[in-house]
Amino acid sequence: MSELDALFNEFDQQEQLGRTAATEPTEAAKSTTAQPPEKYAKSVLFVRGVPKDATNEELEGFFSNVGPVRSCFVVCDKKPEGSEDAPAAAENNKTVKNRGFGFVQFVLAEDAARAIEQLAETKFRDQKRLMLDFAMRKGTRDPADK
């Protein structure tokens, strides 16, 4: 199982245990996606267009203006560029490039919907807008898309 799959599993388990709000997103947030809402996590956003040098902390700071963030991360390559051993590379200050996307989990589903509405036109780092959607639940992804 890949690291990304493990993270999806963790998000799914948290929602099933009722650790996130069980309310429906706003109508405006529903309109941002063309597929049925039950395929999507209510409090988790999939964020595309993240600059390759952005950090988890920067992304969390950007979204925390909307509401409390439970977890936030950019998806990174498994190995730093030009390195076989990731821990040794970290010690040598070689950077791991992110893959240009990430996930943000809000404490409340309403905050996730509000983030899509409020941050749609806001530029990250005053450079470019991020593309925001509700993250799909792992069990609802189409196997043909893998």
Side-chain angles (χ1 to χ4, degrees):
M1 179 183 326
S2 74
E3 181 180 337
L4 187 57
D5 287 337
L7 292 169
F8 273 119
N9 282 338
E10 180 182 329
F11 283 135
D12 289 342
Q13 288 172 356
Q14 288 178 354
E15 286 210 350
Q16 288 172 359
L17 292 173
R19 291 187 182 148
T20 58
T23 58
E24 286 294 318
T26 63
E27 287 302 316
K30 287 181 184 179
S31 68
T32 62
T33 178
Q35 297 180 355
E38 57 271 0
K39 291 182 86 171
Y40 295 88
K42 295 175 183 173
S43 63
V44 182
L45 299 182
F46 176 61
V47 183
R48 294 178 288 152
V50 177
K52 297 286 185 181
D53 61 340
T55 65
N56 294 343
E57 292 79 18
E58 288 175 309
L59 198 64
E60 183 173 357
F62 182 72
F63 285 96
S64 65
N65 293 328
V66 175
V69 174
R70 182 180 304 253
S71 65
C72 177
F73 63 93
V74 290
V75 177
C76 296
D77 291 326
K78 290 184 180 182
K79 298 178 188 171
E81 290 180 10
S83 174
E84 294 296 320
D85 185 20
E91 292 173 14
N92 295 330
N93 290 329
K94 289 187 180 180
T95 59
V96 177
K97 295 284 185 183
N98 76 52
R99 296 179 60 193
F101 65 95
F103 295 89
V104 179
Q105 182 181 28
F106 284 91
V107 173
L108 301 174
E110 294 90 0
D111 291 337
R114 192 168 47 251
I116 290 176
E117 293 172 19
Q118 291 180 358
L119 300 177
E121 299 299 319
T122 305
K123 291 183 178 181
F124 180 69
R125 293 180 170 171
D126 295 323
Q127 294 175 355
K128 91 182 219 189
R129 288 181 295 211
L130 301 176
M131 293 170 275
L132 309 174
D133 286 305
F134 287 104
M136 291 184 81
R137 295 179 190 270
K138 185 176 179 186
T140 61
R141 290 186 289 168
D142 186 3
D145 291 340
K146 289 185 178 178

